[in-house]
Amino acid sequence: MVSGVTYRNPAVLAKMAVTVDHISGGRLDFGLGAGWHEAEHRGYGIEFPSAGTRGAMVAEALTPVKKLWA
């Protein structure tokens, strides 16, 4: 599974991933994507930016994730 960048704060997601990684004995594969399902976003009341904006959000989100894991 891959988490869409529009759903969660990247720092919170990184901390959640570390917890799952520890609980699972290091078996977590982390996936962060741009999101694609506009209807799901509408259903949750979450803004659905353009594809270019979502791509930039992924690049931006990886910075704090990498820093928290370093």
Side-chain angles (χ1 to χ4, degrees):
M1 299 286 300
V2 173
S3 179
V5 72
T6 56
Y7 295 119
R8 291 184 179 84
N9 177 293
V12 174
L13 185 61
K15 288 180 149 193
M16 292 166 57
V18 167
T19 300
V20 172
D21 188 60
H22 289 173
I23 291 169
S24 69
R27 295 186 310 238
L28 176 76
D29 287 328
F30 183 78
L32 185 63
W36 64 274
H37 200 249
E38 185 174 0
E40 184 175 44
H41 283 75
R42 267 196 320 269
Y44 288 126
I46 300 170
E47 182 183 346
F48 188 69
S50 69
T53 300
R54 293 191 320 272
M57 289 171 71
V58 171
E60 183 181 341
L62 289 175
T63 299
V65 169
K66 288 178 182 179
K67 285 184 179 184
L68 284 167
W69 290 351

Short mmCIF file of all heavy atoms in Angstrom, two decimals:
data_model
loop_
_atom_site.label_atom_id
_atom_site.label_comp_id
_atom_site.label_asym_id
_atom_site.label_seq_id
_atom_site.Cartn_x
_atom_site.Cartn_y
_atom_site.Cartn_z
N MET A 1 0.84 -1.18 0.00
CA MET A 1 0.00 0.00 0.00
C MET A 1 0.88 1.24 0.00
O MET A 1 1.97 1.25 0.55
CB MET A 1 -0.90 0.02 1.24
CG MET A 1 -1.86 -1.15 1.37
SD MET A 1 -3.25 -1.12 0.25
CE MET A 1 -4.06 0.38 0.67
N VAL A 2 0.36 2.27 -0.60
CA VAL A 2 1.04 3.56 -0.65
C VAL A 2 0.09 4.60 -0.09
O VAL A 2 -1.09 4.61 -0.42
CB VAL A 2 1.42 3.92 -2.10
CG1 VAL A 2 1.97 5.32 -2.21
CG2 VAL A 2 2.42 2.91 -2.66
N SER A 3 0.58 5.46 0.76
CA SER A 3 -0.25 6.52 1.32
C SER A 3 -0.18 7.74 0.41
O SER A 3 0.91 8.13 -0.03
CB SER A 3 0.24 6.90 2.72
OG SER A 3 -0.55 7.95 3.24
N GLY A 4 -1.32 8.32 0.12
CA GLY A 4 -1.35 9.54 -0.67
C GLY A 4 -0.88 10.72 0.17
O GLY A 4 -1.25 10.85 1.34
N VAL A 5 -0.08 11.58 -0.43
CA VAL A 5 0.51 12.71 0.29
C VAL A 5 -0.55 13.70 0.77
O VAL A 5 -0.31 14.46 1.70
CB VAL A 5 1.58 13.40 -0.58
CG1 VAL A 5 0.94 14.16 -1.73
CG2 VAL A 5 2.46 14.29 0.24
N THR A 6 -1.71 13.68 0.19
CA THR A 6 -2.76 14.64 0.56
C THR A 6 -3.51 14.25 1.83
O THR A 6 -4.24 15.06 2.38
CB THR A 6 -3.78 14.78 -0.58
OG1 THR A 6 -4.31 13.49 -0.89
CG2 THR A 6 -3.16 15.40 -1.82
N TYR A 7 -3.33 13.03 2.30
CA TYR A 7 -4.13 12.53 3.42
C TYR A 7 -3.57 12.82 4.80
O TYR A 7 -4.31 12.97 5.75
CB TYR A 7 -4.33 11.02 3.31
CG TYR A 7 -5.14 10.60 2.12
CD1 TYR A 7 -4.60 9.78 1.15
CD2 TYR A 7 -6.45 11.03 1.96
CE1 TYR A 7 -5.33 9.38 0.05
CE2 TYR A 7 -7.19 10.65 0.86
CZ TYR A 7 -6.62 9.82 -0.09
OH TYR A 7 -7.36 9.45 -1.17
N ARG A 8 -2.26 12.83 4.94
CA ARG A 8 -1.66 12.95 6.28
C ARG A 8 -0.45 13.87 6.27
O ARG A 8 0.27 13.95 5.28
CB ARG A 8 -1.21 11.58 6.78
CG ARG A 8 -2.36 10.67 7.08
CD ARG A 8 -1.86 9.35 7.68
NE ARG A 8 -2.99 8.50 7.99
CZ ARG A 8 -3.60 7.72 7.11
NH1 ARG A 8 -3.20 7.67 5.87
NH2 ARG A 8 -4.63 6.98 7.49
N ASN A 9 -0.20 14.48 7.40
CA ASN A 9 1.00 15.29 7.59
C ASN A 9 2.20 14.36 7.44
O ASN A 9 2.25 13.29 8.07
CB ASN A 9 0.96 15.92 8.99
CG ASN A 9 2.19 16.70 9.31
OD1 ASN A 9 3.27 16.14 9.45
ND2 ASN A 9 2.03 18.00 9.44
N PRO A 10 3.20 14.72 6.62
CA PRO A 10 4.32 13.81 6.37
C PRO A 10 5.12 13.45 7.62
O PRO A 10 5.59 12.32 7.74
CB PRO A 10 5.20 14.56 5.37
CG PRO A 10 4.51 15.81 5.03
CD PRO A 10 3.27 15.93 5.83
N ALA A 11 5.28 14.39 8.54
CA ALA A 11 6.03 14.08 9.77
C ALA A 11 5.28 13.07 10.63
O ALA A 11 5.88 12.14 11.18
CB ALA A 11 6.31 15.36 10.55
N VAL A 12 3.97 13.22 10.73
CA VAL A 12 3.17 12.27 11.50
C VAL A 12 3.20 10.90 10.82
O VAL A 12 3.35 9.87 11.49
CB VAL A 12 1.71 12.77 11.65
CG1 VAL A 12 0.84 11.73 12.31
CG2 VAL A 12 1.69 14.08 12.43
N LEU A 13 3.09 10.88 9.51
CA LEU A 13 3.15 9.62 8.77
C LEU A 13 4.49 8.93 8.96
O LEU A 13 4.55 7.71 9.14
CB LEU A 13 2.89 9.88 7.29
CG LEU A 13 2.80 8.65 6.40
CD1 LEU A 13 1.66 7.74 6.83
CD2 LEU A 13 2.63 9.07 4.95
N ALA A 14 5.57 9.71 8.95
CA ALA A 14 6.91 9.13 9.16
C ALA A 14 7.01 8.50 10.54
O ALA A 14 7.57 7.40 10.69
CB ALA A 14 7.98 10.21 8.99
N LYS A 15 6.48 9.17 11.55
CA LYS A 15 6.52 8.60 12.91
C LYS A 15 5.67 7.34 13.01
O LYS A 15 6.06 6.37 13.67
CB LYS A 15 6.04 9.64 13.92
CG LYS A 15 7.02 10.76 14.13
CD LYS A 15 6.48 11.76 15.14
CE LYS A 15 7.60 12.40 15.90
NZ LYS A 15 7.13 13.13 17.07
N MET A 16 4.51 7.35 12.35
CA MET A 16 3.66 6.15 12.34
C MET A 16 4.39 4.99 11.66
O MET A 16 4.34 3.85 12.14
CB MET A 16 2.35 6.45 11.61
CG MET A 16 1.45 7.42 12.33
SD MET A 16 0.08 8.08 11.33
CE MET A 16 -0.75 6.62 10.78
N ALA A 17 5.08 5.29 10.56
CA ALA A 17 5.80 4.25 9.83
C ALA A 17 6.92 3.65 10.68
O ALA A 17 7.14 2.44 10.66
CB ALA A 17 6.37 4.83 8.54
N VAL A 18 7.62 4.48 11.44
CA VAL A 18 8.68 3.97 12.32
C VAL A 18 8.09 3.02 13.36
O VAL A 18 8.65 1.96 13.63
CB VAL A 18 9.43 5.14 13.01
CG1 VAL A 18 10.30 4.63 14.15
CG2 VAL A 18 10.28 5.87 12.00
N THR A 19 6.95 3.37 13.90
CA THR A 19 6.30 2.51 14.89
C THR A 19 5.94 1.15 14.28
O THR A 19 6.22 0.10 14.86
CB THR A 19 5.03 3.19 15.45
OG1 THR A 19 5.41 4.42 16.08
CG2 THR A 19 4.34 2.30 16.46
N VAL A 20 5.35 1.17 13.09
CA VAL A 20 4.98 -0.09 12.42
C VAL A 20 6.24 -0.88 12.08
O VAL A 20 6.27 -2.11 12.23
CB VAL A 20 4.14 0.18 11.15
CG1 VAL A 20 3.94 -1.08 10.34
CG2 VAL A 20 2.81 0.80 11.51
N ASP A 21 7.29 -0.20 11.66
CA ASP A 21 8.54 -0.88 11.34
C ASP A 21 9.11 -1.59 12.56
O ASP A 21 9.55 -2.74 12.48
CB ASP A 21 9.55 0.13 10.78
CG ASP A 21 10.80 -0.54 10.25
OD1 ASP A 21 10.68 -1.36 9.31
OD2 ASP A 21 11.89 -0.25 10.77
N HIS A 22 9.07 -0.92 13.71
CA HIS A 22 9.57 -1.54 14.94
C HIS A 22 8.70 -2.72 15.37
O HIS A 22 9.23 -3.77 15.74
CB HIS A 22 9.64 -0.50 16.06
CG HIS A 22 10.73 0.50 15.87
ND1 HIS A 22 10.88 1.59 16.68
CD2 HIS A 22 11.72 0.60 14.95
CE1 HIS A 22 11.91 2.30 16.28
NE2 HIS A 22 12.44 1.72 15.23
N ILE A 23 7.40 -2.53 15.32
CA ILE A 23 6.48 -3.61 15.72
C ILE A 23 6.64 -4.83 14.82
O ILE A 23 6.57 -5.97 15.29
CB ILE A 23 5.02 -3.11 15.70
CG1 ILE A 23 4.79 -2.09 16.82
CG2 ILE A 23 4.04 -4.27 15.81
CD1 ILE A 23 3.46 -1.36 16.72
N SER A 24 6.88 -4.60 13.53
CA SER A 24 6.95 -5.70 12.57
C SER A 24 8.34 -6.30 12.45
O SER A 24 8.56 -7.19 11.62
CB SER A 24 6.49 -5.22 11.19
OG SER A 24 7.43 -4.32 10.64
N GLY A 25 9.28 -5.81 13.23
CA GLY A 25 10.64 -6.34 13.15
C GLY A 25 11.36 -5.91 11.89
O GLY A 25 12.17 -6.66 11.35
N GLY A 26 11.06 -4.73 11.39
CA GLY A 26 11.77 -4.20 10.22
C GLY A 26 11.20 -4.61 8.88
O GLY A 26 11.89 -4.55 7.87
N ARG A 27 9.94 -5.01 8.85
CA ARG A 27 9.36 -5.51 7.60
C ARG A 27 8.51 -4.48 6.86
O ARG A 27 7.81 -4.84 5.92
CB ARG A 27 8.54 -6.76 7.87
CG ARG A 27 9.37 -7.92 8.36
CD ARG A 27 8.56 -9.18 8.48
NE ARG A 27 7.34 -8.97 9.21
CZ ARG A 27 6.99 -9.61 10.29
NH1 ARG A 27 7.78 -10.50 10.81
NH2 ARG A 27 5.84 -9.36 10.88
N LEU A 28 8.56 -3.23 7.25
CA LEU A 28 7.74 -2.20 6.60
C LEU A 28 8.41 -1.70 5.33
O LEU A 28 9.60 -1.38 5.32
CB LEU A 28 7.53 -1.01 7.54
CG LEU A 28 6.77 0.16 6.91
CD1 LEU A 28 5.29 -0.17 6.80
CD2 LEU A 28 6.99 1.42 7.70
N ASP A 29 7.66 -1.65 4.26
CA ASP A 29 8.06 -0.95 3.03
C ASP A 29 7.22 0.31 2.98
O ASP A 29 5.99 0.25 2.94
CB ASP A 29 7.79 -1.80 1.79
CG ASP A 29 8.77 -2.95 1.64
OD1 ASP A 29 9.92 -2.80 2.06
OD2 ASP A 29 8.36 -4.00 1.12
N PHE A 30 7.87 1.46 2.98
CA PHE A 30 7.18 2.75 3.03
C PHE A 30 6.91 3.23 1.61
O PHE A 30 7.79 3.27 0.78
CB PHE A 30 8.06 3.76 3.77
CG PHE A 30 7.43 5.11 3.94
CD1 PHE A 30 6.47 5.32 4.91
CD2 PHE A 30 7.80 6.17 3.13
CE1 PHE A 30 5.90 6.57 5.09
CE2 PHE A 30 7.24 7.41 3.30
CZ PHE A 30 6.28 7.61 4.27
N GLY A 31 5.66 3.61 1.36
CA GLY A 31 5.29 4.14 0.06
C GLY A 31 4.51 5.44 0.20
O GLY A 31 3.54 5.50 0.95
N LEU A 32 4.94 6.46 -0.50
CA LEU A 32 4.27 7.75 -0.47
C LEU A 32 4.02 8.15 -1.92
O LEU A 32 4.95 8.25 -2.71
CB LEU A 32 5.14 8.80 0.23
CG LEU A 32 4.53 10.17 0.45
CD1 LEU A 32 3.31 10.07 1.37
CD2 LEU A 32 5.56 11.10 1.06
N GLY A 33 2.75 8.38 -2.25
CA GLY A 33 2.40 8.73 -3.62
C GLY A 33 1.62 10.02 -3.70
O GLY A 33 1.30 10.65 -2.68
N ALA A 34 1.27 10.40 -4.91
CA ALA A 34 0.60 11.68 -5.16
C ALA A 34 -0.91 11.60 -4.98
O ALA A 34 -1.56 12.63 -4.91
CB ALA A 34 0.92 12.15 -6.58
N GLY A 35 -1.48 10.42 -4.88
CA GLY A 35 -2.93 10.29 -4.79
C GLY A 35 -3.56 10.41 -6.17
O GLY A 35 -3.00 11.04 -7.06
N TRP A 36 -4.70 9.78 -6.34
CA TRP A 36 -5.31 9.79 -7.67
C TRP A 36 -6.83 9.81 -7.64
O TRP A 36 -7.48 10.16 -8.61
CB TRP A 36 -4.86 8.56 -8.46
CG TRP A 36 -5.35 7.28 -7.82
CD1 TRP A 36 -4.73 6.58 -6.82
CD2 TRP A 36 -6.55 6.57 -8.09
NE1 TRP A 36 -5.46 5.48 -6.45
CE2 TRP A 36 -6.61 5.46 -7.24
CE3 TRP A 36 -7.59 6.76 -8.99
CZ2 TRP A 36 -7.65 4.55 -7.24
CZ3 TRP A 36 -8.63 5.86 -8.99
CH2 TRP A 36 -8.65 4.75 -8.11
N HIS A 37 -7.45 9.43 -6.53
CA HIS A 37 -8.89 9.20 -6.50
C HIS A 37 -9.64 10.46 -6.05
O HIS A 37 -9.84 10.69 -4.86
CB HIS A 37 -9.19 8.01 -5.57
CG HIS A 37 -10.51 7.40 -5.81
ND1 HIS A 37 -11.53 7.50 -4.91
CD2 HIS A 37 -10.99 6.69 -6.86
CE1 HIS A 37 -12.60 6.87 -5.38
NE2 HIS A 37 -12.28 6.37 -6.57
N GLU A 38 -10.05 11.25 -7.02
CA GLU A 38 -10.68 12.54 -6.72
C GLU A 38 -11.97 12.37 -5.91
O GLU A 38 -12.22 13.13 -4.97
CB GLU A 38 -10.98 13.29 -8.01
CG GLU A 38 -11.52 14.68 -7.77
CD GLU A 38 -11.68 15.48 -9.04
OE1 GLU A 38 -11.37 14.97 -10.14
OE2 GLU A 38 -12.11 16.63 -8.93
N ALA A 39 -12.77 11.37 -6.23
CA ALA A 39 -14.03 11.16 -5.50
C ALA A 39 -13.79 10.87 -4.02
O ALA A 39 -14.56 11.31 -3.16
CB ALA A 39 -14.83 10.03 -6.15
N GLU A 40 -12.75 10.13 -3.73
CA GLU A 40 -12.42 9.84 -2.33
C GLU A 40 -12.05 11.12 -1.59
O GLU A 40 -12.47 11.33 -0.46
CB GLU A 40 -11.27 8.83 -2.26
CG GLU A 40 -10.94 8.40 -0.85
CD GLU A 40 -9.88 7.31 -0.84
OE1 GLU A 40 -8.89 7.40 -1.59
OE2 GLU A 40 -10.06 6.37 -0.06
N HIS A 41 -11.29 11.96 -2.24
CA HIS A 41 -10.94 13.25 -1.64
C HIS A 41 -12.20 14.07 -1.36
O HIS A 41 -12.34 14.65 -0.29
CB HIS A 41 -9.99 14.03 -2.55
CG HIS A 41 -8.58 13.55 -2.51
ND1 HIS A 41 -8.17 12.39 -3.12
CD2 HIS A 41 -7.48 14.07 -1.92
CE1 HIS A 41 -6.88 12.22 -2.91
NE2 HIS A 41 -6.43 13.23 -2.19
N ARG A 42 -13.07 14.14 -2.34
CA ARG A 42 -14.33 14.88 -2.15
C ARG A 42 -15.12 14.31 -0.98
O ARG A 42 -15.67 15.05 -0.16
CB ARG A 42 -15.18 14.80 -3.42
CG ARG A 42 -14.99 15.93 -4.37
CD ARG A 42 -16.11 16.03 -5.41
NE ARG A 42 -16.56 14.75 -5.94
CZ ARG A 42 -16.06 14.15 -7.03
NH1 ARG A 42 -15.08 14.72 -7.70
NH2 ARG A 42 -16.54 13.00 -7.44
N GLY A 43 -15.18 12.99 -0.89
CA GLY A 43 -15.91 12.33 0.18
C GLY A 43 -15.39 12.66 1.56
O GLY A 43 -16.14 12.77 2.52
N TYR A 44 -14.08 12.83 1.66
CA TYR A 44 -13.46 13.18 2.95
C TYR A 44 -13.35 14.68 3.15
O TYR A 44 -12.88 15.13 4.19
CB TYR A 44 -12.06 12.57 3.05
CG TYR A 44 -12.06 11.07 3.25
CD1 TYR A 44 -11.34 10.24 2.40
CD2 TYR A 44 -12.75 10.49 4.30
CE1 TYR A 44 -11.31 8.87 2.58
CE2 TYR A 44 -12.74 9.12 4.49
CZ TYR A 44 -12.02 8.32 3.64
OH TYR A 44 -12.00 6.97 3.82
N GLY A 45 -13.74 15.45 2.15
CA GLY A 45 -13.64 16.90 2.27
C GLY A 45 -12.21 17.41 2.16
O GLY A 45 -11.87 18.45 2.70
N ILE A 46 -11.37 16.67 1.44
CA ILE A 46 -9.97 17.04 1.28
C ILE A 46 -9.79 17.63 -0.12
O ILE A 46 -10.30 17.10 -1.10
CB ILE A 46 -9.05 15.80 1.42
CG1 ILE A 46 -9.22 15.18 2.81
CG2 ILE A 46 -7.59 16.17 1.18
CD1 ILE A 46 -8.53 13.83 2.95
N GLU A 47 -9.05 18.72 -0.20
CA GLU A 47 -8.77 19.35 -1.49
C GLU A 47 -8.04 18.36 -2.39
O GLU A 47 -7.20 17.59 -1.93
CB GLU A 47 -7.91 20.60 -1.27
CG GLU A 47 -7.60 21.35 -2.53
CD GLU A 47 -6.71 22.55 -2.30
OE1 GLU A 47 -6.53 22.95 -1.14
OE2 GLU A 47 -6.17 23.06 -3.29
N PHE A 48 -8.35 18.40 -3.68
CA PHE A 48 -7.68 17.53 -4.67
C PHE A 48 -6.95 18.42 -5.67
O PHE A 48 -7.49 18.82 -6.68
CB PHE A 48 -8.70 16.64 -5.37
CG PHE A 48 -8.08 15.59 -6.25
CD1 PHE A 48 -7.38 14.55 -5.69
CD2 PHE A 48 -8.21 15.65 -7.62
CE1 PHE A 48 -6.81 13.57 -6.50
CE2 PHE A 48 -7.64 14.69 -8.43
CZ PHE A 48 -6.94 13.64 -7.87
N PRO A 49 -5.68 18.74 -5.38
CA PRO A 49 -4.91 19.62 -6.27
C PRO A 49 -4.62 18.97 -7.62
O PRO A 49 -4.82 17.76 -7.81
CB PRO A 49 -3.60 19.85 -5.51
CG PRO A 49 -3.83 19.36 -4.13
CD PRO A 49 -4.92 18.35 -4.21
N SER A 50 -4.10 19.75 -8.54
CA SER A 50 -3.72 19.23 -9.86
C SER A 50 -2.60 18.19 -9.70
O SER A 50 -1.92 18.12 -8.67
CB SER A 50 -3.23 20.36 -10.75
OG SER A 50 -1.98 20.85 -10.28
N ALA A 51 -2.40 17.40 -10.75
CA ALA A 51 -1.37 16.36 -10.72
C ALA A 51 0.01 16.96 -10.48
O ALA A 51 0.81 16.41 -9.71
CB ALA A 51 -1.38 15.56 -12.02
N GLY A 52 0.32 18.09 -11.12
CA GLY A 52 1.61 18.73 -10.92
C GLY A 52 1.82 19.18 -9.49
O GLY A 52 2.91 19.02 -8.92
N THR A 53 0.77 19.73 -8.90
CA THR A 53 0.86 20.18 -7.51
C THR A 53 1.04 18.99 -6.57
O THR A 53 1.86 19.04 -5.64
CB THR A 53 -0.39 20.97 -7.12
OG1 THR A 53 -0.50 22.11 -7.98
CG2 THR A 53 -0.35 21.42 -5.67
N ARG A 54 0.31 17.92 -6.81
CA ARG A 54 0.45 16.73 -5.96
C ARG A 54 1.84 16.13 -6.08
O ARG A 54 2.43 15.69 -5.10
CB ARG A 54 -0.63 15.70 -6.30
CG ARG A 54 -2.02 16.15 -5.94
CD ARG A 54 -3.07 15.05 -6.03
NE ARG A 54 -2.96 14.15 -7.14
CZ ARG A 54 -3.50 14.33 -8.35
NH1 ARG A 54 -4.20 15.43 -8.58
NH2 ARG A 54 -3.37 13.44 -9.30
N GLY A 55 2.41 16.14 -7.29
CA GLY A 55 3.77 15.65 -7.47
C GLY A 55 4.78 16.48 -6.69
O GLY A 55 5.69 15.95 -6.07
N ALA A 56 4.59 17.79 -6.73
CA ALA A 56 5.47 18.68 -5.96
C ALA A 56 5.30 18.45 -4.47
O ALA A 56 6.27 18.53 -3.71
CB ALA A 56 5.18 20.14 -6.31
N MET A 57 4.08 18.13 -4.04
CA MET A 57 3.83 17.85 -2.63
C MET A 57 4.59 16.61 -2.18
O MET A 57 5.09 16.55 -1.06
CB MET A 57 2.32 17.67 -2.38
CG MET A 57 1.53 18.95 -2.49
SD MET A 57 -0.27 18.67 -2.46
CE MET A 57 -0.51 18.19 -0.74
N VAL A 58 4.67 15.60 -3.05
CA VAL A 58 5.42 14.38 -2.71
C VAL A 58 6.89 14.73 -2.50
O VAL A 58 7.50 14.34 -1.50
CB VAL A 58 5.27 13.30 -3.80
CG1 VAL A 58 6.21 12.13 -3.54
CG2 VAL A 58 3.84 12.81 -3.88
N ALA A 59 7.46 15.48 -3.44
CA ALA A 59 8.87 15.87 -3.32
C ALA A 59 9.11 16.66 -2.04
O ALA A 59 10.10 16.44 -1.33
CB ALA A 59 9.29 16.68 -4.54
N GLU A 60 8.21 17.57 -1.73
CA GLU A 60 8.34 18.39 -0.53
C GLU A 60 8.18 17.54 0.74
O GLU A 60 8.89 17.75 1.73
CB GLU A 60 7.29 19.49 -0.54
CG GLU A 60 7.35 20.43 0.62
CD GLU A 60 6.27 21.51 0.57
OE1 GLU A 60 5.71 21.74 -0.50
OE2 GLU A 60 6.00 22.10 1.63
N ALA A 61 7.28 16.58 0.72
CA ALA A 61 7.01 15.75 1.90
C ALA A 61 8.19 14.83 2.23
O ALA A 61 8.39 14.47 3.39
CB ALA A 61 5.76 14.92 1.68
N LEU A 62 8.95 14.44 1.23
CA LEU A 62 10.06 13.52 1.47
C LEU A 62 11.18 14.15 2.29
O LEU A 62 11.92 13.44 2.97
CB LEU A 62 10.59 12.97 0.16
CG LEU A 62 9.64 12.00 -0.54
CD1 LEU A 62 10.21 11.60 -1.90
CD2 LEU A 62 9.38 10.77 0.31
N THR A 63 11.29 15.47 2.26
CA THR A 63 12.35 16.14 3.03
C THR A 63 12.21 15.90 4.52
O THR A 63 13.15 15.41 5.16
CB THR A 63 12.39 17.64 2.70
OG1 THR A 63 12.66 17.79 1.30
CG2 THR A 63 13.45 18.37 3.50
N PRO A 64 11.06 16.22 5.14
CA PRO A 64 10.97 15.96 6.59
C PRO A 64 11.00 14.47 6.92
O PRO A 64 11.52 14.07 7.96
CB PRO A 64 9.65 16.60 7.00
CG PRO A 64 8.86 16.76 5.76
CD PRO A 64 9.86 16.91 4.65
N VAL A 65 10.45 13.63 6.04
CA VAL A 65 10.48 12.18 6.30
C VAL A 65 11.93 11.71 6.39
O VAL A 65 12.32 11.02 7.33
CB VAL A 65 9.70 11.41 5.20
CG1 VAL A 65 9.95 9.92 5.31
CG2 VAL A 65 8.21 11.72 5.29
N LYS A 66 12.74 12.08 5.41
CA LYS A 66 14.15 11.67 5.40
C LYS A 66 14.90 12.23 6.62
O LYS A 66 15.72 11.54 7.22
CB LYS A 66 14.82 12.12 4.12
CG LYS A 66 14.38 11.35 2.90
CD LYS A 66 15.06 11.90 1.66
CE LYS A 66 14.60 11.19 0.41
NZ LYS A 66 15.26 11.75 -0.79
N LYS A 67 14.62 13.48 6.98
CA LYS A 67 15.29 14.08 8.14
C LYS A 67 14.92 13.37 9.43
O LYS A 67 15.76 13.17 10.31
CB LYS A 67 14.97 15.57 8.22
CG LYS A 67 15.70 16.38 7.20
CD LYS A 67 15.44 17.86 7.34
CE LYS A 67 16.23 18.63 6.30
NZ LYS A 67 16.09 20.07 6.45
N LEU A 68 13.65 13.00 9.57
CA LEU A 68 13.22 12.30 10.78
C LEU A 68 13.85 10.91 10.87
O LEU A 68 14.07 10.40 11.97
CB LEU A 68 11.69 12.21 10.83
CG LEU A 68 10.99 13.50 11.22
CD1 LEU A 68 9.50 13.39 10.92
CD2 LEU A 68 11.21 13.80 12.68
N TRP A 69 14.10 10.30 9.75
CA TRP A 69 14.65 8.95 9.73
C TRP A 69 16.18 8.94 9.78
O TRP A 69 16.78 7.88 9.91
CB TRP A 69 14.16 8.19 8.52
CG TRP A 69 12.72 7.82 8.57
CD1 TRP A 69 11.88 7.95 9.64
CD2 TRP A 69 11.94 7.29 7.53
NE1 TRP A 69 10.62 7.52 9.32
CE2 TRP A 69 10.63 7.11 8.01
CE3 TRP A 69 12.20 6.95 6.21
CZ2 TRP A 69 9.60 6.59 7.24
CZ3 TRP A 69 11.18 6.44 5.44
CH2 TRP A 69 9.89 6.26 5.95
N ALA A 70 16.81 10.08 9.61
CA ALA A 70 18.29 10.13 9.57
C ALA A 70 18.86 10.02 10.98
O ALA A 70 18.27 10.37 11.96
CB ALA A 70 18.75 11.42 8.93
#
